């Protein structure tokens, strides 16, 4: 049995402890990314950016001067009652919400409405936000496609405001900003498409625009519900070129179809000639049938039938003369 010196035992123990400490300090990349995402989400909620109401520093209060002004406003309302009701009573419709700011700060509780509520004169300011779906036309945009063709495209966008607080605090004019973003998105997306894709794949292009716009307007409290491409206008020379190309393609197909018909007719005539050659009486029947059609359609035409036997006799005599000459 071998004995290990005490110094070596202490070194091994210290090495094990250091490795354990190093392993405990190591963080898996997945866990690190998840922890970073959690911290970002927590920061987003605590700071208010992207949260439901996005109110910053509303819990600090109005201060001494602010409360003095609020109390004075209450006193004025009481002294001028009931005339003050004309300024303090507000009505919000079912499709609207009211964002009330008291001394520049949004009141706790979010947007008010629908219905009847009271505001304080001189210290409260009210902003009404329409929650209905709003429609606007994107002006025609001159776009250079991926295959270097200039087209003019316009679209229509349907959107609504889902968070009145964010639409007031995060952007100056939500509708105007959405219109500008829609025009820019239309140019950016169609600039990566070819002319054939723009003309044939409008549904996917509209869906892609809707997704991009919805992501861009979400911090503004705006929900883009639908995007549709209305019209694609081509230059006049491009329209003429495409029309000439389509006409040439149609003429080529027509000639091919006519040639195939002639080929089938020739084969049918050859088969008919073979059948008539095998049966001489068939030629006589065809001859009589033709006379019947002529007499039925054109009564003013005089037809002098020549017997087929006479034609055969003349053919036989000509052959005999040729033989005698030889």
């Amino acid at each position: 049995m071998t004995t290990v010196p005490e110094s070596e035992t202490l070194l091994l123990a210290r090495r094990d402890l250091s490795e354990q400490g190093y392993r405990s300090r190591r963080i898996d990349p997945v866990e690190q990314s998840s922890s970073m995402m959690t911290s970002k989400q927590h920061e987003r909620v605590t700071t208010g950016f992207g949260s439901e109401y996005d109110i910053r520093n509303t819990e600090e209060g109005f201060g001494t001067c602010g409360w003095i002004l609020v109390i004075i406003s209450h006193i004025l309302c009481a002294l001028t009652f009931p005339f003050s009701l004309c300024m303090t009573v507000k009505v919000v419709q079912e499709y609207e919400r009211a964002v009330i700011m008291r001394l520049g700060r949004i009141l706790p509780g979010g947007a008010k409405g629908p219905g009847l509520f009271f505001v304080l004169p001189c210290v409260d300011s009210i902003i009404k936000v329409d929650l209905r779906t709003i429609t606007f036309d994107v002006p025609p945009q001159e776009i250079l496609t991926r295959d270097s063709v200039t087209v003019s495209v316009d679209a229509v966008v349907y959107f609504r405001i889902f968070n009145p607080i964010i639409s007031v605090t995060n952007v100056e004019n939500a509708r105007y900003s959405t219109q500008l973003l829609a025009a820019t998105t239309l140019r950016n997306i169609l600039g990566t498409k070819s002319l054939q894709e723009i003309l044939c794949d409008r549904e996917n292009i509209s869906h892609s625009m809707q997704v991009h716009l919805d992501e861009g307007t979400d911090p503004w409290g705006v929900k883009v519900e639908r995007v549709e491409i209305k019209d694609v206008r081509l230059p006049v020379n491009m329209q003429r070129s495409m029309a000439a190309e389509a006409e040439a393609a149609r003429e080529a197909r027509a000639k091919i179809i006519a040639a195939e018909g002639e080929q089938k007719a020739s084969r049918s005539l050859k088969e008919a000639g073979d059948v008539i050659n095998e049966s001489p009486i068939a030629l006589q029947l065809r001859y009589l049938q033709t006379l019947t059609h002529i007499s039925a359609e054109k009564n003013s035409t005089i037809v002098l039938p020549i017997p087929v036997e006479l034609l055969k006799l003349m053919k036989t005599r000509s052959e005999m003369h040729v033989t005698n000459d030889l």
Side-chain angles (χ1 to χ4, degrees):
M1 181 176 179
T2 58
T3 59
V4 180
E6 184 178 359
S7 59
E8 294 183 1
T9 304
L10 292 175
L11 290 175
L12 291 174
R14 291 178 181 176
R15 185 181 299 173
D16 294 338
L17 290 174
S18 62
E19 290 180 357
Q20 291 178 2
Y22 175 72
R23 290 174 182 175
S24 63
R25 287 193 302 269
R26 291 182 61 187
I27 302 176
D28 188 67
V30 178
E31 296 178 357
Q32 185 178 6
S33 61
S34 61
S35 62
M36 290 176 63
M37 291 176 62
T38 306
S39 62
K40 287 182 179 179
Q41 292 176 358
H42 179 70
E43 181 181 358
R44 184 178 181 180
V45 173
T46 54
T47 57
F49 179 76
S51 60
E52 184 178 1
Y53 295 114
D54 195 17
I55 305 174
R56 298 179 176 86
N57 300 327
T58 56
E59 301 296 334
E60 295 180 358
F62 303 110
T64 305
C65 296
W67 283 114
I68 292 173
L69 292 176
V70 171
I71 293 172
I72 293 174
S73 179
H74 279 285
I75 294 173
L76 290 176
C77 291
L79 292 177
T80 58
F81 184 83
F83 301 103
S84 61
L85 294 177
C86 299
M87 300 180 61
T88 57
V89 177
K90 301 295 181 181
V91 179
V92 175
Q93 303 295 332
E94 182 68 29
Y95 53 84
E96 293 178 336
R97 295 296 182 270
V99 179
I100 302 176
M101 292 186 179
R102 179 165 296 173
L103 298 177
R105 298 178 181 273
I106 297 177
L107 293 180
K112 307 294 182 181
L116 183 70
F117 57 93
F118 295 89
V119 295
L120 294 177
C122 303
V123 295
D124 288 350
S125 60
I126 179 173
I127 302 174
K128 293 183 179 180
V129 180
D130 196 338
L131 301 183
R132 292 177 294 181
T133 300
I134 303 173
T135 307
F136 66 87
D137 292 327
V138 180
Q141 305 293 320
E142 294 290 337
I143 299 169
L144 183 64
T145 61
R146 189 176 59 187
D147 48 357
S148 301
V149 178
T150 304
V151 296
S152 178
V153 184
D154 57 351
V156 58
V157 179
Y158 302 85
F159 74 97
R160 60 181 177 85
I161 295 176
F162 70 91
N163 195 320
I165 300 294
I166 296 179
S167 65
V168 172
T169 57
N170 285 11
V171 64
E172 180 182 2
N173 190 332
R175 179 168 182 172
Y176 183 66
S177 301
T178 305
Q179 290 179 356
L180 295 180
L181 183 61
T184 306
T185 305
L186 179 64
R187 289 195 299 268
N188 292 339
I189 291 180
L190 294 184
T192 61
K193 306 291 183 180
S194 62
L195 179 61
Q196 187 68 22
E197 293 174 348
I198 294 175
L199 296 176
C200 301
D201 200 13
R202 293 190 180 186
E203 185 176 354
N204 292 334
I205 293 175
S206 300
H207 179 69
S208 178
M209 283 188 59
Q210 189 265 333
V211 172
H212 282 76
L213 281 175
D214 196 19
E215 292 178 355
T217 58
D218 185 69
W220 304 338
V222 175
K223 170 66 178 177
V224 178
E225 296 179 341
R226 191 177 182 87
V227 178
E228 292 293 340
I229 296 177
K230 293 175 59 178
D231 191 15
V232 179
R233 299 183 183 89
L234 300 175
V236 178
N237 55 355
M238 179 61 67
Q239 294 180 8
R240 293 175 180 174
S241 300
M242 295 180 66
E245 182 182 359
E247 185 178 359
R250 287 193 297 268
E251 290 180 356
R253 287 195 297 268
K255 291 180 180 179
I256 292 173
I257 293 173
E260 291 178 353
E262 292 290 339
Q263 184 180 7
K264 292 180 181 179
S266 301
R267 291 178 180 175
S268 300
L269 289 175
K270 179 179 179 301
E271 293 176 359
D274 294 339
V275 172
I276 292 175
N277 189 27
E278 293 175 0
S279 178
I281 195 64
L283 181 61
Q284 183 68 23
L285 293 175
R286 182 62 180 169
Y287 176 69
L288 295 175
Q289 185 180 5
T290 304
L291 291 177
T292 303
H293 282 297
I294 293 174
S295 62
E297 294 178 359
K298 299 180 179 180
N299 297 327
S300 62
T301 303
I302 299 174
V303 179
L304 297 177
I306 299 175
V308 179
E309 289 78 4
L310 181 60
L311 297 176
K312 290 183 178 180
L313 180 61
M314 294 175 63
K315 182 179 180 181
T316 303
R317 287 185 178 182
S318 62
E319 290 178 355
M320 291 176 60
H321 284 297
V322 172
T323 304
N324 293 331
D325 292 338
L326 294 176

